[in-house]
Amino acid sequence: MTIALVTGTSSGIGLATAVTLARGGHTVIATMRNLESAGELQKIVAAEKLPVSLAALNVDDDASVESALGKVLAEHGRLDVLVNNAGIGGGGSVEESSTARFREVMETNFFGALRCIKAVVPGMRERRHGCIVNVTSISGRLAMAPAAAYCASKFALEALSECLAQEMKAFNVRVAIIEPGVIATPIFSKAKPTPDNTPYPHARRQRALFAQSLTNPTSPYIVGEKIREIVDGDSWQLRYPVGPDAVPFLKWRASKTDEEVVDLGGASDEEFKLLAKQEFGLDVNL
């Protein structure tokens, strides 16, 4: 089995992926910014006696990434799988989101993944073996207001992944992109509140759409299972939409012109509610 490192494992998709890979017999290094957040993962690992070790890793920090990866290589001699999952949300209109906020989201969601990739690629290339899984989002394929910072970071990671896949093919290293739809994770509860005096209706509408989608929640373990399937397999497929709504959302966007999507941004609340019902079967409350 493989030696796999997963980032952002304190909750959600990262936790589910670490547990699922370990249940599949893989040796997992589960990393997170703050090890004090590892309570839930530690309980599962202890109860099931899973081959999981914890390591502090802040993907925003060069030294932290170098230190953590250096310790993994010193202890295990190699790293077979990297799952770049660590990420933060980034909602808010362009006008109301500070440039600092855009940088913060890009630092974690894009540069964080890039740091980890650059740390593992030399060894994988030299051994001509490895698998890099980058967790993006359907928001890396469709941009919907008011999530410019988040969408921009995921679009960027998609582009990086596609270029990386081409580069690593010659060295037998697989690259896969995981594109979850609306998954029940803490990222929604961590969203910053909408300004009371905002002139933009889009955040309120997006949250209503997500809230309705989460009335029938999709477990992050569905994503973890897909990642385990990729790691266990030998497919060179690049993109994997995951979750019951992922493909429908992507097909919906593909069916619309750019201008139709822009027009949606100017719709009234009643028009938006009607569209949500007609296009997605969701009864949103605004």
Side-chain angles (χ1 to χ4, degrees), residues 3 69-80 123-124 127:
I3 309 297
L69 268 296
K71 290 177 181 177
V72 170
L73 295 176
E75 182 175 348
H76 299 281
R78 73 183 198 276
L79 185 68
D80 303 303
M124 291 183 176
R127 289 185 289 108

Side-chain angles (χ1 to χ4, degrees), residues 35-147:
L35 291 179
E36 293 180 359
S37 303
E40 182 181 354
L41 178 58
Q42 286 178 316
K43 289 179 182 179
I44 298 172
V45 168
E48 300 183 30
K49 296 181 172 57
L50 297 175
V52 175
S53 60
L54 301 178
L57 191 159
N58 178 1
V59 300
D60 292 359
D61 183 77
D62 290 344
S64 178
V65 172
E66 291 172 7
S67 175
L69 268 296
K71 290 177 181 177
V72 170
L73 295 176
E75 182 175 348
H76 299 281
R78 73 183 198 276
L79 185 68
D80 303 303
V81 176
L82 168 66
V83 180
N84 276 312
N85 165 75
I88 59 176
S93 70
V94 173
E95 178 185 352
E96 296 166 311
S97 299
S98 67
T99 302
R101 178 58 175 164
F102 272 84
R103 291 184 185 278
E104 179 186 11
V105 174
M106 190 65 74
E107 192 66 60
T108 298
N109 294 1
F110 176 73
F111 286 107
L114 177 60
R115 285 186 182 91
C116 295
I117 288 167
K118 290 179 72 66
V120 306
V121 156
M124 291 183 176
R125 173 179 52 75
E126 290 169 3
R127 289 185 289 108
R128 301 183 66 85
H129 175 75
C131 180
I132 297 171
V133 180
N134 293 330
V135 179
T136 63
S137 166
I138 57 172
S139 293
R141 299 272 297 282
L142 59 90
M144 295 295 290

Side-chain angles (χ1 to χ4, degrees), residues 199-230:
Y200 297 96
H202 308 92
R204 173 169 46 81
R205 295 173 183 175
Q206 186 184 68
R207 291 189 182 196
L209 193 66
F210 285 158
Q212 190 60 30
S213 295
L214 290 168
T215 57
N216 185 21
T218 298
S219 168
Y221 280 88
I222 289 179
V223 185
E225 287 291 347
K226 177 55 69 175
I227 293 174
R228 182 195 59 76
E229 179 184 315
I230 293 167

Side-chain angles (χ1 to χ4, degrees), residues 81-279:
V81 176
L82 168 66
V83 180
N84 276 312
N85 165 75
I88 59 176
S93 70
V94 173
E95 178 185 352
E96 296 166 311
S97 299
S98 67
T99 302
R101 178 58 175 164
F102 272 84
R103 291 184 185 278
E104 179 186 11
V105 174
M106 190 65 74
E107 192 66 60
T108 298
N109 294 1
F110 176 73
F111 286 107
L114 177 60
R115 285 186 182 91
C116 295
I117 288 167
K118 290 179 72 66
V120 306
V121 156
M124 291 183 176
R125 173 179 52 75
E126 290 169 3
R127 289 185 289 108
R128 301 183 66 85
H129 175 75
C131 180
I132 297 171
V133 180
N134 293 330
V135 179
T136 63
S137 166
I138 57 172
S139 293
R141 299 272 297 282
L142 59 90
M144 295 295 290
Y150 184 77
C151 291
S153 71
K154 295 301 186 179
F155 265 68
L157 185 52
E158 290 259 342
L160 168 65
S161 302
E162 190 164 336
C163 290
L164 181 68
Q166 296 170 50
E167 294 168 0
M168 301 311 296
K169 175 69 173 180
F171 304 100
N172 197 45
V173 175
R174 295 184 295 136
V175 176
I177 304 171
I178 296 290
E179 300 168 332
V182 180
I183 306 294
T185 75
I187 195 170
F188 296 104
S189 62
K190 295 176 182 177
K192 294 184 177 181
T194 304
D196 291 335
N197 60 344
T198 179
Y200 297 96
H202 308 92
R204 173 169 46 81
R205 295 173 183 175
Q206 186 184 68
R207 291 189 182 196
L209 193 66
F210 285 158
Q212 190 60 30
S213 295
L214 290 168
T215 57
N216 185 21
T218 298
S219 168
Y221 280 88
I222 289 179
V223 185
E225 287 291 347
K226 177 55 69 175
I227 293 174
R228 182 195 59 76
E229 179 184 315
I230 293 167
V231 170
D232 287 346
D234 57 6
S235 174
W236 289 89
Q237 180 176 327
L238 180 61
R239 287 184 168 88
Y240 294 84
V242 182
D245 60 0
V247 170
F249 271 125
L250 293 174
K251 285 184 176 179
W252 171 82
R253 179 59 183 88
S255 73
K256 302 297 180 184
T257 66
D258 296 339
E259 292 71 28
E260 286 174 321
V261 174
V262 171
D263 285 344
L264 173 61
S268 67
D269 281 351
E270 288 305 312
E271 289 170 334
F272 181 84
K273 289 169 65 175
L274 182 61
L275 179 140
K277 180 63 174 179
Q278 291 178 338
E279 301 281 359

